Amino acid sequence: MPLLGAPHLAGLRRHLRALLVVDTLASLACRHAHAPFTVRLRHTEGSSLRAEIRELRCRTLPGHAALRLPLHILDRLARTWCVDLQEHHGVLTAEVDLAG
C-alpha cells in the first residue's frame, strides 16, 4: 500500500485494524482451543473483512470472564463480533469495516 502522505493514513489504519482483529481472534483460538482450527477470511473490496476461526475444539468452555482481556480490542476495532459455542465446539467471528 503506497503511503503518499497524511491523507493516506486512514487507509493504512483500516488495514491495520483488520490485521489486529484477525490476530486477536487467532490468539483467542490458540489460548482456548486444541489445534488445528481453520481461519477463513472473506474480503469485500472497499467494504469489509470478515474473519472466522472455525472448527474450534475448546479445552474448556471459555466464558466471557476467560475471554475478557482481548474483548475490549474487538469492541473497539470490529464492526461486529461473536463467539458461538455449542458444547465444546465453536466459531469466533468478527467483521471489520473497510469503507472508511
Side-chain angles (χ1 to χ4, degrees):
M1 163 176 258
L3 186 58
L4 304 173
H8 294 95
L9 284 176
L12 177 62
R13 288 181 179 132
R14 282 191 298 274
H15 284 83
L16 290 174
R17 185 170 51 243
L19 289 173
L20 284 171
V21 167
V22 172
D23 178 70
T24 300
L25 290 182
S27 295
L28 284 168
C30 287
R31 261 193 0 216
H32 295 288
H34 293 287
F37 39 83
T38 302
V39 178
R40 179 182 296 163
L41 302 176
R42 293 182 185 161
H43 179 250
T44 304
E45 186 66 37
S47 176
S48 66
L49 174 76
R50 181 178 175 89
E52 297 176 353
I53 311 290
R54 299 181 140 302
E55 301 167 20
L56 293 174
R57 292 175 318 283
C58 297
R59 296 181 183 99
T60 60
L61 288 177
H64 284 276
L67 297 174
R68 192 161 318 281
L69 179 61
L71 291 184
H72 71 280
I73 295 170
L74 294 176
D75 283 340
R76 293 197 178 238
L77 299 178
R79 177 190 313 164
T80 61
W81 65 268
C82 72
V83 180
D84 182 14
L85 296 173
Q86 302 195 3
E87 294 190 17
H88 290 286
H89 293 82
V91 178
L92 295 170
T93 305
E95 190 165 323
V96 179
D97 183 12
L98 298 177

